[in-house]
Each structure stands twice: as C-alpha cells, then as structure tokens.
Amino acid sequence: AAGVIQSPRHLIKEKRETATLKCYPIPRHDTVYWYQQGPGQDPQFLISFYEKMQSDKGSIPDRFSAQQFSDYHSELNMSSLELGDSALYFCASSLAWLTDTQYFGPGTRLTVL
Amino acid sequence: EDQVTQSPEALRLQEGESSSLNCSYTVSGLRGLFWYRQDPGKGPEFLFTLYSAGEEKEKERLKATLTKKESFLHITAPKPEDSATYLCAVQALIGTSGSRLTFGEGTQLTVNP
C-alpha cells in the first residue's frame, strides 16, 4: 500500500538559511499534519491542513510557514534557521471523513550547523 | 491542556515474558486514543485506535485496552523484533477535522533473546 512520502530525507543547512520540506500524503487523503521530534523527545505538533485550509496550529515558530496545495501535497517552509531547529520533521496524513487515524511518513532529518 | 503520561519510561523483557505498558491521559473530551510503534530514526507506525471506554483491539502479540483515564498495551510472549519505542497519543474532540495528536514521551521496550 502507498505510504506518505517526504522529501528530502536528509537536509543539512547553515544558521540563518532557509529550508523547504515536502510531503505527499497517501492517495485520496485530504488532511496533512506536521510534527517536529527532537532527540529523545516525543513528536510535537506544528500545524495541519484539511482540504487546503489550516485546521489546527500548534507551537510553530513565526519563522515557519506551511501550506497545502491543490493536489493535497504540503510544504513546510523554514526561514532564519537556528541550531535548535535540528530535528526530525514528520508529515502525517488522514482521510477525514473515514477515520481520525494519522499515518506518518519516514521523516526529514534536518541538521542546522 | 491535553496531557499524556506513559510508564514505564523503559522496559526490558526476556523473550516470552509478557507485560503491559501504561498510558494515562487527561483531555477535554476524547476523540480517540492512538498507539504507535517507533523504531529509531523512523516515522511512527500506526498500531491501534480506541474511541470509547471498554474498547479492546488486538493485533498479533499486542492488545490495547481503554478506560476513561488510561490505556494499556499488553504484550504477550514478546519477541526481540518487538523491541521499539511505543507511543501513546490522544486527539481531543474539538469538532473539526485535522486536529492534533498529543503524544506521551513513550516507553522504550527491549526484548532480549
């Protein structure tokens, strides 16, 4: 079965640079979620989109923005990167009318030097 | 604020030694409780969704149960390949699609052969 696709899988950036993470949900899924997981920590919710509209917002820094496009893929844009942004970033997707279960992608490991 | 507490933080078992993991939660109306398995550096893998007190679900050696205040993940006759971090998460009933998961810090399970 098709799963959530994230790209790139690994990303290395310098401080103050920008980064764009992409997420392709499971086909027909209409809701996308972004989570950040630091070393040894549990995933922390950042933001979600349902039918291309923001549906929930968590502890996402103002330096970050995200959107969901007409084909339901989503992008997380991160600017003025800081050392503390180094983490695993997960995207998850769900089919809202059918289930609340969120299926996670493999993640993007971001390292800020 | 939704809160999830998992215990123990770490658990070492011998192969075949059954045990249970605990997840205590407080949430302003439970939409669903979710169990995930996570291997190092990988995305959380969905195991179970529970919606109401008294509900039980099983999959191979795993069985999840739910009460009004906590959930248990029972592992029967575990094998070394069951070694992973098990994450519990809750989703609040806020009436909209695309609402966040709040995770516990996980239980790191090691099963020795």
Side-chain angles (χ1 to χ4, degrees), chain A residues 31 33 35 37 42-43 45 48 55-58 90 96 100-102 104-105, chain B residues 31 34 36 38 41-44 46 49 51 91 97-101 103-105:
Chain A
T31 310
Y33 312 77
Y35 292 84
Q37 187 175 31
D42 55 284
F45 173 75
S48 62
S55 55
D56 195 5
K57 187 174 181 180
F90 292 108
D100 298 302
T101 298
Q102 297 178 24
F104 284 75
Chain B
R31 189 182 186 101
F34 303 83
Y36 289 87
Q38 186 174 30
K42 297 191 176 182
F46 170 70
T49 305
Y51 289 105
Q91 186 178 48
S97 299
S99 57
R100 72 188 68 184
L101 294 179
F103 283 88
E105 294 187 349

PDB file of all heavy atoms in Angstrom, chain A residues 31 33 35 37 42-43 45 48 55-58 90 96 100-102 104-105, chain B residues 31 34 36 38 41-44 46 49 51 91 97-101 103-105:
ATOM      1  N   THR A  31      -6.125  15.391   4.524  1.00  0.00           N
ATOM      2  CA  THR A  31      -5.637  16.132   5.686  1.00  0.00           C
ATOM      3  C   THR A  31      -4.163  15.814   5.901  1.00  0.00           C
ATOM      4  O   THR A  31      -3.749  14.659   5.835  1.00  0.00           O
ATOM      5  CB  THR A  31      -6.436  15.750   6.946  1.00  0.00           C
ATOM      6  OG1 THR A  31      -7.835  15.847   6.663  1.00  0.00           O
ATOM      7  CG2 THR A  31      -6.090  16.678   8.097  1.00  0.00           C
ATOM      8  N   TYR A  33      -0.647  16.767   8.359  1.00  0.00           N
ATOM      9  CA  TYR A  33      -0.162  17.255   9.650  1.00  0.00           C
ATOM     10  C   TYR A  33       1.364  17.320   9.621  1.00  0.00           C
ATOM     11  O   TYR A  33       2.000  16.468   9.010  1.00  0.00           O
ATOM     12  CB  TYR A  33      -0.565  16.299  10.781  1.00  0.00           C
ATOM     13  CG  TYR A  33      -2.020  15.869  10.782  1.00  0.00           C
ATOM     14  CD1 TYR A  33      -2.469  14.904   9.895  1.00  0.00           C
ATOM     15  CD2 TYR A  33      -2.926  16.410  11.684  1.00  0.00           C
ATOM     16  CE1 TYR A  33      -3.798  14.484   9.899  1.00  0.00           C
ATOM     17  CE2 TYR A  33      -4.253  15.993  11.695  1.00  0.00           C
ATOM     18  CZ  TYR A  33      -4.674  15.036  10.806  1.00  0.00           C
ATOM     19  OH  TYR A  33      -5.989  14.628  10.815  1.00  0.00           O
ATOM     20  N   TYR A  35       4.763  17.465  12.282  1.00  0.00           N
ATOM     21  CA  TYR A  35       5.257  17.302  13.639  1.00  0.00           C
ATOM     22  C   TYR A  35       6.776  17.459  13.636  1.00  0.00           C
ATOM     23  O   TYR A  35       7.450  17.118  12.666  1.00  0.00           O
ATOM     24  CB  TYR A  35       4.909  15.907  14.189  1.00  0.00           C
ATOM     25  CG  TYR A  35       3.439  15.675  14.426  1.00  0.00           C
ATOM     26  CD1 TYR A  35       2.612  15.278  13.386  1.00  0.00           C
ATOM     27  CD2 TYR A  35       2.879  15.849  15.685  1.00  0.00           C
ATOM     28  CE1 TYR A  35       1.252  15.060  13.594  1.00  0.00           C
ATOM     29  CE2 TYR A  35       1.523  15.628  15.908  1.00  0.00           C
ATOM     30  CZ  TYR A  35       0.720  15.236  14.861  1.00  0.00           C
ATOM     31  OH  TYR A  35      -0.622  15.021  15.074  1.00  0.00           O
ATOM     32  N   GLN A  37      10.201  16.371  15.938  1.00  0.00           N
ATOM     33  CA  GLN A  37      10.654  15.487  17.006  1.00  0.00           C
ATOM     34  C   GLN A  37      12.141  15.705  17.267  1.00  0.00           C
ATOM     35  O   GLN A  37      12.980  15.370  16.424  1.00  0.00           O
ATOM     36  CB  GLN A  37      10.392  14.021  16.670  1.00  0.00           C
ATOM     37  CG  GLN A  37      10.704  13.063  17.830  1.00  0.00           C
ATOM     38  CD  GLN A  37      10.317  11.625  17.527  1.00  0.00           C
ATOM     39  OE1 GLN A  37      10.347  11.190  16.377  1.00  0.00           O
ATOM     40  NE2 GLN A  37       9.931  10.864  18.555  1.00  0.00           N
ATOM     41  N   ASP A  42       9.219  13.261  22.304  1.00  0.00           N
ATOM     42  CA  ASP A  42       8.051  12.805  21.558  1.00  0.00           C
ATOM     43  C   ASP A  42       7.724  13.830  20.470  1.00  0.00           C
ATOM     44  O   ASP A  42       8.152  14.989  20.537  1.00  0.00           O
ATOM     45  CB  ASP A  42       6.853  12.639  22.506  1.00  0.00           C
ATOM     46  CG  ASP A  42       6.551  13.903  23.282  1.00  0.00           C
ATOM     47  OD1 ASP A  42       7.286  14.213  24.242  1.00  0.00           O
ATOM     48  OD2 ASP A  42       5.567  14.584  22.910  1.00  0.00           O
ATOM     49  N   PRO A  43       6.992  13.425  19.453  1.00  0.00           N
ATOM     50  CA  PRO A  43       6.631  14.348  18.381  1.00  0.00           C
ATOM     51  C   PRO A  43       5.766  15.498  18.905  1.00  0.00           C
ATOM     52  O   PRO A  43       4.833  15.282  19.667  1.00  0.00           O
ATOM     53  CB  PRO A  43       5.849  13.467  17.407  1.00  0.00           C
ATOM     54  CG  PRO A  43       6.290  12.072  17.703  1.00  0.00           C
ATOM     55  CD  PRO A  43       6.536  12.051  19.183  1.00  0.00           C
ATOM     56  N   PHE A  45       3.335  18.679  17.762  1.00  0.00           N
ATOM     57  CA  PHE A  45       2.505  19.122  16.652  1.00  0.00           C
ATOM     58  C   PHE A  45       2.857  20.545  16.241  1.00  0.00           C
ATOM     59  O   PHE A  45       3.020  21.440  17.086  1.00  0.00           O
ATOM     60  CB  PHE A  45       1.038  19.044  17.067  1.00  0.00           C
ATOM     61  CG  PHE A  45       0.084  19.639  16.076  1.00  0.00           C
ATOM     62  CD1 PHE A  45      -0.226  18.969  14.902  1.00  0.00           C
ATOM     63  CD2 PHE A  45      -0.491  20.876  16.307  1.00  0.00           C
ATOM     64  CE1 PHE A  45      -1.101  19.518  13.981  1.00  0.00           C
ATOM     65  CE2 PHE A  45      -1.376  21.436  15.400  1.00  0.00           C
ATOM     66  CZ  PHE A  45      -1.671  20.748  14.233  1.00  0.00           C
ATOM     67  N   SER A  48      -1.618  21.808  10.840  1.00  0.00           N
ATOM     68  CA  SER A  48      -2.325  20.848   9.993  1.00  0.00           C
ATOM     69  C   SER A  48      -3.228  21.574   9.004  1.00  0.00           C
ATOM     70  O   SER A  48      -3.619  22.735   9.227  1.00  0.00           O
ATOM     71  CB  SER A  48      -3.159  19.871  10.831  1.00  0.00           C
ATOM     72  OG  SER A  48      -4.156  20.546  11.571  1.00  0.00           O
ATOM     73  N   SER A  55      -6.229  23.873   9.632  1.00  0.00           N
ATOM     74  CA  SER A  55      -7.265  23.358  10.523  1.00  0.00           C
ATOM     75  C   SER A  55      -6.871  23.398  11.992  1.00  0.00           C
ATOM     76  O   SER A  55      -7.733  23.440  12.860  1.00  0.00           O
ATOM     77  CB  SER A  55      -7.644  21.926  10.142  1.00  0.00           C
ATOM     78  OG  SER A  55      -6.500  21.092  10.107  1.00  0.00           O
ATOM     79  N   ASP A  56      -5.583  23.376  12.284  1.00  0.00           N
ATOM     80  CA  ASP A  56      -5.118  23.430  13.663  1.00  0.00           C
ATOM     81  C   ASP A  56      -3.693  23.970  13.644  1.00  0.00           C
ATOM     82  O   ASP A  56      -2.957  23.762  12.673  1.00  0.00           O
ATOM     83  CB  ASP A  56      -5.173  22.033  14.305  1.00  0.00           C
ATOM     84  CG  ASP A  56      -5.045  22.065  15.822  1.00  0.00           C
ATOM     85  OD1 ASP A  56      -5.014  23.169  16.409  1.00  0.00           O
ATOM     86  OD2 ASP A  56      -4.984  20.976  16.428  1.00  0.00           O
ATOM     87  N   LYS A  57      -3.323  24.679  14.708  1.00  0.00           N
ATOM     88  CA  LYS A  57      -1.991  25.270  14.771  1.00  0.00           C
ATOM     89  C   LYS A  57      -1.422  25.046  16.152  1.00  0.00           C
ATOM     90  O   LYS A  57      -2.094  25.318  17.144  1.00  0.00           O
ATOM     91  CB  LYS A  57      -2.054  26.768  14.461  1.00  0.00           C
ATOM     92  CG  LYS A  57      -0.700  27.443  14.337  1.00  0.00           C
ATOM     93  CD  LYS A  57      -0.866  28.888  13.884  1.00  0.00           C
ATOM     94  CE  LYS A  57       0.480  29.581  13.717  1.00  0.00           C
ATOM     95  NZ  LYS A  57       0.326  30.993  13.280  1.00  0.00           N
ATOM     96  N   GLY A  58      -0.205  24.535  16.176  1.00  0.00           N
ATOM     97  CA  GLY A  58       0.446  24.266  17.451  1.00  0.00           C
ATOM     98  C   GLY A  58       1.605  25.212  17.676  1.00  0.00           C
ATOM     99  O   GLY A  58       1.552  26.376  17.323  1.00  0.00           O
ATOM    100  N   PHE A  90       8.241  15.193  10.787  1.00  0.00           N
ATOM    101  CA  PHE A  90       7.339  14.186  10.234  1.00  0.00           C
ATOM    102  C   PHE A  90       6.101  14.837   9.649  1.00  0.00           C
ATOM    103  O   PHE A  90       5.548  15.779  10.216  1.00  0.00           O
ATOM    104  CB  PHE A  90       6.906  13.185  11.299  1.00  0.00           C
ATOM    105  CG  PHE A  90       8.009  12.300  11.795  1.00  0.00           C
ATOM    106  CD1 PHE A  90       8.526  12.470  13.068  1.00  0.00           C
ATOM    107  CD2 PHE A  90       8.527  11.300  10.989  1.00  0.00           C
ATOM    108  CE1 PHE A  90       9.549  11.659  13.524  1.00  0.00           C
ATOM    109  CE2 PHE A  90       9.544  10.484  11.441  1.00  0.00           C
ATOM    110  CZ  PHE A  90      10.064  10.663  12.714  1.00  0.00           C
ATOM    111  N   ALA A  96     -10.220  12.433   6.366  1.00  0.00           N
ATOM    112  CA  ALA A  96     -11.009  12.983   7.462  1.00  0.00           C
ATOM    113  C   ALA A  96     -12.373  12.331   7.621  1.00  0.00           C
ATOM    114  O   ALA A  96     -12.820  12.035   8.718  1.00  0.00           O
ATOM    115  CB  ALA A  96     -11.156  14.485   7.292  1.00  0.00           C
ATOM    116  N   ASP A 100      -9.942   9.056  12.003  1.00  0.00           N
ATOM    117  CA  ASP A 100      -9.065  10.059  12.592  1.00  0.00           C
ATOM    118  C   ASP A 100      -7.617   9.594  12.619  1.00  0.00           C
ATOM    119  O   ASP A 100      -6.747  10.333  13.053  1.00  0.00           O
ATOM    120  CB  ASP A 100      -9.520  10.362  14.027  1.00  0.00           C
ATOM    121  CG  ASP A 100     -10.916  10.931  14.055  1.00  0.00           C
ATOM    122  OD1 ASP A 100     -11.119  11.975  13.412  1.00  0.00           O
ATOM    123  OD2 ASP A 100     -11.791  10.332  14.699  1.00  0.00           O
ATOM    124  N   THR A 101      -7.365   8.377  12.172  1.00  0.00           N
ATOM    125  CA  THR A 101      -6.020   7.826  12.265  1.00  0.00           C
ATOM    126  C   THR A 101      -5.070   8.570  11.347  1.00  0.00           C
ATOM    127  O   THR A 101      -5.339   8.759  10.161  1.00  0.00           O
ATOM    128  CB  THR A 101      -6.023   6.335  11.904  1.00  0.00           C
ATOM    129  OG1 THR A 101      -6.857   5.639  12.844  1.00  0.00           O
ATOM    130  CG2 THR A 101      -4.613   5.765  11.972  1.00  0.00           C
ATOM    131  N   GLN A 102      -3.946   8.984  11.920  1.00  0.00           N
ATOM    132  CA  GLN A 102      -2.911   9.684  11.163  1.00  0.00           C
ATOM    133  C   GLN A 102      -1.793   8.696  10.838  1.00  0.00           C
ATOM    134  O   GLN A 102      -1.276   8.019  11.726  1.00  0.00           O
ATOM    135  CB  GLN A 102      -2.364  10.860  11.978  1.00  0.00           C
ATOM    136  CG  GLN A 102      -3.439  11.906  12.273  1.00  0.00           C
ATOM    137  CD  GLN A 102      -2.931  13.062  13.111  1.00  0.00           C
ATOM    138  OE1 GLN A 102      -1.738  13.365  13.128  1.00  0.00           O
ATOM    139  NE2 GLN A 102      -3.842  13.729  13.798  1.00  0.00           N
ATOM    140  N   PHE A 104       1.978   8.228   9.420  1.00  0.00           N
ATOM    141  CA  PHE A 104       3.188   9.040   9.368  1.00  0.00           C
ATOM    142  C   PHE A 104       4.116   8.635   8.231  1.00  0.00           C
ATOM    143  O   PHE A 104       4.213   7.459   7.869  1.00  0.00           O
ATOM    144  CB  PHE A 104       3.942   8.944  10.688  1.00  0.00           C
ATOM    145  CG  PHE A 104       3.331   9.752  11.785  1.00  0.00           C
ATOM    146  CD1 PHE A 104       2.171   9.328  12.425  1.00  0.00           C
ATOM    147  CD2 PHE A 104       3.893  10.956  12.185  1.00  0.00           C
ATOM    148  CE1 PHE A 104       1.589  10.089  13.428  1.00  0.00           C
ATOM    149  CE2 PHE A 104       3.320  11.722  13.191  1.00  0.00           C
ATOM    150  CZ  PHE A 104       2.175  11.292  13.808  1.00  0.00           C
ATOM    151  N   GLY A 105       4.821   9.639   7.722  1.00  0.00           N
ATOM    152  CA  GLY A 105       5.866   9.398   6.751  1.00  0.00           C
ATOM    153  C   GLY A 105       7.175   9.044   7.427  1.00  0.00           C
ATOM    154  O   GLY A 105       7.258   9.012   8.659  1.00  0.00           O
TER     155      GLY A 105
ATOM    156  N   ARG B  31     -11.525  12.326  21.540  1.00  0.00           N
ATOM    157  CA  ARG B  31     -11.960  11.927  20.196  1.00  0.00           C
ATOM    158  C   ARG B  31     -11.420  10.540  19.877  1.00  0.00           C
ATOM    159  O   ARG B  31     -12.108   9.713  19.291  1.00  0.00           O
ATOM    160  CB  ARG B  31     -11.454  12.928  19.159  1.00  0.00           C
ATOM    161  CG  ARG B  31     -12.015  12.742  17.750  1.00  0.00           C
ATOM    162  CD  ARG B  31     -11.412  13.764  16.817  1.00  0.00           C
ATOM    163  NE  ARG B  31     -12.017  13.717  15.498  1.00  0.00           N
ATOM    164  CZ  ARG B  31     -12.949  14.571  15.081  1.00  0.00           C
ATOM    165  NH1 ARG B  31     -13.368  15.535  15.886  1.00  0.00           N
ATOM    166  NH2 ARG B  31     -13.458  14.478  13.880  1.00  0.00           N
ATOM    167  N   PHE B  34      -4.570   6.732  20.452  1.00  0.00           N
ATOM    168  CA  PHE B  34      -3.816   6.036  19.422  1.00  0.00           C
ATOM    169  C   PHE B  34      -2.543   5.442  20.005  1.00  0.00           C
ATOM    170  O   PHE B  34      -1.874   6.063  20.828  1.00  0.00           O
ATOM    171  CB  PHE B  34      -3.438   7.013  18.300  1.00  0.00           C
ATOM    172  CG  PHE B  34      -4.633   7.696  17.685  1.00  0.00           C
ATOM    173  CD1 PHE B  34      -5.189   8.818  18.292  1.00  0.00           C
ATOM    174  CD2 PHE B  34      -5.200   7.228  16.512  1.00  0.00           C
ATOM    175  CE1 PHE B  34      -6.293   9.457  17.744  1.00  0.00           C
ATOM    176  CE2 PHE B  34      -6.300   7.856  15.956  1.00  0.00           C
ATOM    177  CZ  PHE B  34      -6.840   8.967  16.576  1.00  0.00           C
ATOM    178  N   TYR B  36       1.179   3.930  18.705  1.00  0.00           N
ATOM    179  CA  TYR B  36       2.122   3.831  17.595  1.00  0.00           C
ATOM    180  C   TYR B  36       3.368   3.111  18.091  1.00  0.00           C
ATOM    181  O   TYR B  36       3.736   3.181  19.259  1.00  0.00           O
ATOM    182  CB  TYR B  36       2.537   5.215  17.091  1.00  0.00           C
ATOM    183  CG  TYR B  36       1.469   5.970  16.342  1.00  0.00           C
ATOM    184  CD1 TYR B  36       0.554   6.773  17.014  1.00  0.00           C
ATOM    185  CD2 TYR B  36       1.390   5.908  14.951  1.00  0.00           C
ATOM    186  CE1 TYR B  36      -0.422   7.476  16.329  1.00  0.00           C
ATOM    187  CE2 TYR B  36       0.425   6.612  14.254  1.00  0.00           C
ATOM    188  CZ  TYR B  36      -0.478   7.392  14.945  1.00  0.00           C
ATOM    189  OH  TYR B  36      -1.436   8.087  14.256  1.00  0.00           O
ATOM    190  N   GLN B  38       7.525   3.095  17.231  1.00  0.00           N
ATOM    191  CA  GLN B  38       8.537   3.865  16.516  1.00  0.00           C
ATOM    192  C   GLN B  38       9.905   3.222  16.691  1.00  0.00           C
ATOM    193  O   GLN B  38      10.369   3.013  17.816  1.00  0.00           O
ATOM    194  CB  GLN B  38       8.578   5.323  16.993  1.00  0.00           C
ATOM    195  CG  GLN B  38       9.514   6.188  16.158  1.00  0.00           C
ATOM    196  CD  GLN B  38       9.465   7.652  16.516  1.00  0.00           C
ATOM    197  OE1 GLN B  38       9.196   8.025  17.652  1.00  0.00           O
ATOM    198  NE2 GLN B  38       9.733   8.519  15.542  1.00  0.00           N
ATOM    199  N   GLY B  41      14.945   6.654  14.420  1.00  0.00           N
ATOM    200  CA  GLY B  41      15.125   7.391  13.178  1.00  0.00           C
ATOM    201  C   GLY B  41      14.032   7.190  12.158  1.00  0.00           C
ATOM    202  O   GLY B  41      14.159   7.660  11.017  1.00  0.00           O
ATOM    203  N   LYS B  42      12.956   6.527  12.526  1.00  0.00           N
ATOM    204  CA  LYS B  42      11.861   6.258  11.579  1.00  0.00           C
ATOM    205  C   LYS B  42      10.564   6.905  12.054  1.00  0.00           C
ATOM    206  O   LYS B  42      10.446   7.343  13.192  1.00  0.00           O
ATOM    207  CB  LYS B  42      11.675   4.750  11.402  1.00  0.00           C
ATOM    208  CG  LYS B  42      12.894   4.060  10.803  1.00  0.00           C
ATOM    209  CD  LYS B  42      12.591   2.640  10.408  1.00  0.00           C
ATOM    210  CE  LYS B  42      13.777   2.000   9.717  1.00  0.00           C
ATOM    211  NZ  LYS B  42      13.486   0.608   9.286  1.00  0.00           N
ATOM    212  N   GLY B  43       9.596   6.955  11.150  1.00  0.00           N
ATOM    213  CA  GLY B  43       8.318   7.537  11.493  1.00  0.00           C
ATOM    214  C   GLY B  43       7.481   6.601  12.339  1.00  0.00           C
ATOM    215  O   GLY B  43       7.615   5.375  12.247  1.00  0.00           O
ATOM    216  N   PRO B  44       6.611   7.148  13.195  1.00  0.00           N
ATOM    217  CA  PRO B  44       5.714   6.312  13.992  1.00  0.00           C
ATOM    218  C   PRO B  44       4.847   5.431  13.092  1.00  0.00           C
ATOM    219  O   PRO B  44       4.278   5.901  12.115  1.00  0.00           O
ATOM    220  CB  PRO B  44       4.874   7.329  14.761  1.00  0.00           C
ATOM    221  CG  PRO B  44       5.734   8.558  14.835  1.00  0.00           C
ATOM    222  CD  PRO B  44       6.463   8.578  13.526  1.00  0.00           C
ATOM    223  N   PHE B  46       1.526   3.151  12.844  1.00  0.00           N
ATOM    224  CA  PHE B  46       0.216   3.021  13.494  1.00  0.00           C
ATOM    225  C   PHE B  46      -0.045   1.585  13.938  1.00  0.00           C
ATOM    226  O   PHE B  46       0.196   0.628  13.201  1.00  0.00           O
ATOM    227  CB  PHE B  46      -0.877   3.465  12.525  1.00  0.00           C
ATOM    228  CG  PHE B  46      -2.263   3.148  13.008  1.00  0.00           C
ATOM    229  CD1 PHE B  46      -2.816   3.821  14.079  1.00  0.00           C
ATOM    230  CD2 PHE B  46      -2.998   2.150  12.388  1.00  0.00           C
ATOM    231  CE1 PHE B  46      -4.094   3.514  14.521  1.00  0.00           C
ATOM    232  CE2 PHE B  46      -4.278   1.836  12.820  1.00  0.00           C
ATOM    233  CZ  PHE B  46      -4.822   2.518  13.890  1.00  0.00           C
ATOM    234  N   THR B  49      -6.325   2.335  17.150  1.00  0.00           N
ATOM    235  CA  THR B  49      -7.142   3.471  17.553  1.00  0.00           C
ATOM    236  C   THR B  49      -8.248   2.961  18.472  1.00  0.00           C
ATOM    237  O   THR B  49      -8.911   1.970  18.155  1.00  0.00           O
ATOM    238  CB  THR B  49      -7.801   4.165  16.344  1.00  0.00           C
ATOM    239  OG1 THR B  49      -6.802   4.527  15.401  1.00  0.00           O
ATOM    240  CG2 THR B  49      -8.546   5.405  16.804  1.00  0.00           C
ATOM    241  N   TYR B  51     -11.669   4.377  20.793  1.00  0.00           N
ATOM    242  CA  TYR B  51     -12.549   5.537  20.849  1.00  0.00           C
ATOM    243  C   TYR B  51     -13.337   5.664  22.146  1.00  0.00           C
ATOM    244  O   TYR B  51     -13.676   6.772  22.565  1.00  0.00           O
ATOM    245  CB  TYR B  51     -13.531   5.515  19.676  1.00  0.00           C
ATOM    246  CG  TYR B  51     -12.886   5.793  18.339  1.00  0.00           C
ATOM    247  CD1 TYR B  51     -12.667   4.765  17.422  1.00  0.00           C
ATOM    248  CD2 TYR B  51     -12.474   7.078  18.004  1.00  0.00           C
ATOM    249  CE1 TYR B  51     -12.071   5.026  16.192  1.00  0.00           C
ATOM    250  CE2 TYR B  51     -11.874   7.347  16.788  1.00  0.00           C
ATOM    251  CZ  TYR B  51     -11.678   6.313  15.886  1.00  0.00           C
ATOM    252  OH  TYR B  51     -11.090   6.574  14.679  1.00  0.00           O
ATOM    253  N   GLN B  91      -6.279  12.482  20.815  1.00  0.00           N
ATOM    254  CA  GLN B  91      -6.827  13.521  19.963  1.00  0.00           C
ATOM    255  C   GLN B  91      -8.095  14.027  20.645  1.00  0.00           C
ATOM    256  O   GLN B  91      -8.982  13.238  20.988  1.00  0.00           O
ATOM    257  CB  GLN B  91      -7.143  12.976  18.577  1.00  0.00           C
ATOM    258  CG  GLN B  91      -7.578  14.024  17.574  1.00  0.00           C
ATOM    259  CD  GLN B  91      -7.825  13.420  16.194  1.00  0.00           C
ATOM    260  OE1 GLN B  91      -8.504  12.412  16.067  1.00  0.00           O
ATOM    261  NE2 GLN B  91      -7.270  14.036  15.171  1.00  0.00           N
ATOM    262  N   SER B  97     -12.109  18.631  11.655  1.00  0.00           N
ATOM    263  CA  SER B  97     -11.173  17.659  11.116  1.00  0.00           C
ATOM    264  C   SER B  97      -9.765  18.219  11.168  1.00  0.00           C
ATOM    265  O   SER B  97      -9.574  19.421  11.145  1.00  0.00           O
ATOM    266  CB  SER B  97     -11.544  17.344   9.668  1.00  0.00           C
ATOM    267  OG  SER B  97     -12.826  16.787   9.589  1.00  0.00           O
ATOM    268  N   GLY B  98      -8.812  17.317  11.235  1.00  0.00           N
ATOM    269  CA  GLY B  98      -7.432  17.762  11.203  1.00  0.00           C
ATOM    270  C   GLY B  98      -6.894  18.251  12.522  1.00  0.00           C
ATOM    271  O   GLY B  98      -5.982  19.079  12.538  1.00  0.00           O
ATOM    272  N   SER B  99      -7.429  17.769  13.626  1.00  0.00           N
ATOM    273  CA  SER B  99      -6.911  18.219  14.922  1.00  0.00           C
ATOM    274  C   SER B  99      -5.712  17.384  15.338  1.00  0.00           C
ATOM    275  O   SER B  99      -5.552  16.239  14.944  1.00  0.00           O
ATOM    276  CB  SER B  99      -8.004  18.180  15.976  1.00  0.00           C
ATOM    277  OG  SER B  99      -8.558  16.904  16.085  1.00  0.00           O
ATOM    278  N   ARG B 100      -4.889  17.988  16.183  1.00  0.00           N
ATOM    279  CA  ARG B 100      -3.585  17.460  16.535  1.00  0.00           C
ATOM    280  C   ARG B 100      -3.640  16.198  17.384  1.00  0.00           C
ATOM    281  O   ARG B 100      -4.628  15.941  18.069  1.00  0.00           O
ATOM    282  CB  ARG B 100      -2.834  18.526  17.326  1.00  0.00           C
ATOM    283  CG  ARG B 100      -3.405  18.725  18.757  1.00  0.00           C
ATOM    284  CD  ARG B 100      -2.787  19.905  19.451  1.00  0.00           C
ATOM    285  NE  ARG B 100      -3.184  21.156  18.830  1.00  0.00           N
ATOM    286  CZ  ARG B 100      -2.717  22.339  19.192  1.00  0.00           C
ATOM    287  NH1 ARG B 100      -1.819  22.418  20.148  1.00  0.00           N
ATOM    288  NH2 ARG B 100      -3.133  23.429  18.592  1.00  0.00           N
ATOM    289  N   LEU B 101      -2.530  15.459  17.359  1.00  0.00           N
ATOM    290  CA  LEU B 101      -2.269  14.419  18.338  1.00  0.00           C
ATOM    291  C   LEU B 101      -1.336  14.984  19.403  1.00  0.00           C
ATOM    292  O   LEU B 101      -0.389  15.696  19.078  1.00  0.00           O
ATOM    293  CB  LEU B 101      -1.598  13.214  17.690  1.00  0.00           C
ATOM    294  CG  LEU B 101      -2.409  12.405  16.680  1.00  0.00           C
ATOM    295  CD1 LEU B 101      -1.571  11.262  16.110  1.00  0.00           C
ATOM    296  CD2 LEU B 101      -3.682  11.883  17.298  1.00  0.00           C
ATOM    297  N   PHE B 103       1.187  13.605  22.154  1.00  0.00           N
ATOM    298  CA  PHE B 103       1.884  12.360  22.456  1.00  0.00           C
ATOM    299  C   PHE B 103       2.395  12.315  23.884  1.00  0.00           C
ATOM    300  O   PHE B 103       2.697  13.339  24.493  1.00  0.00           O
ATOM    301  CB  PHE B 103       3.094  12.204  21.518  1.00  0.00           C
ATOM    302  CG  PHE B 103       2.752  11.776  20.136  1.00  0.00           C
ATOM    303  CD1 PHE B 103       2.443  12.710  19.158  1.00  0.00           C
ATOM    304  CD2 PHE B 103       2.750  10.430  19.791  1.00  0.00           C
ATOM    305  CE1 PHE B 103       2.129  12.319  17.868  1.00  0.00           C
ATOM    306  CE2 PHE B 103       2.444  10.029  18.503  1.00  0.00           C
ATOM    307  CZ  PHE B 103       2.137  10.978  17.541  1.00  0.00           C
ATOM    308  N   GLY B 104       2.533  11.085  24.403  1.00  0.00           N
ATOM    309  CA  GLY B 104       3.306  10.860  25.602  1.00  0.00           C
ATOM    310  C   GLY B 104       4.770  10.710  25.213  1.00  0.00           C
ATOM    311  O   GLY B 104       5.118  10.727  24.025  1.00  0.00           O
ATOM    312  N   GLU B 105       5.618  10.569  26.217  1.00  0.00           N
ATOM    313  CA  GLU B 105       7.053  10.501  25.939  1.00  0.00           C
ATOM    314  C   GLU B 105       7.518   9.110  25.534  1.00  0.00           C
ATOM    315  O   GLU B 105       8.680   8.931  25.189  1.00  0.00           O
ATOM    316  CB  GLU B 105       7.830  10.994  27.160  1.00  0.00           C
ATOM    317  CG  GLU B 105       7.593  12.480  27.431  1.00  0.00           C
ATOM    318  CD  GLU B 105       8.474  13.024  28.526  1.00  0.00           C
ATOM    319  OE1 GLU B 105       9.115  12.221  29.228  1.00  0.00           O
ATOM    320  OE2 GLU B 105       8.530  14.262  28.668  1.00  0.00           O
TER     321      GLU B 105
END
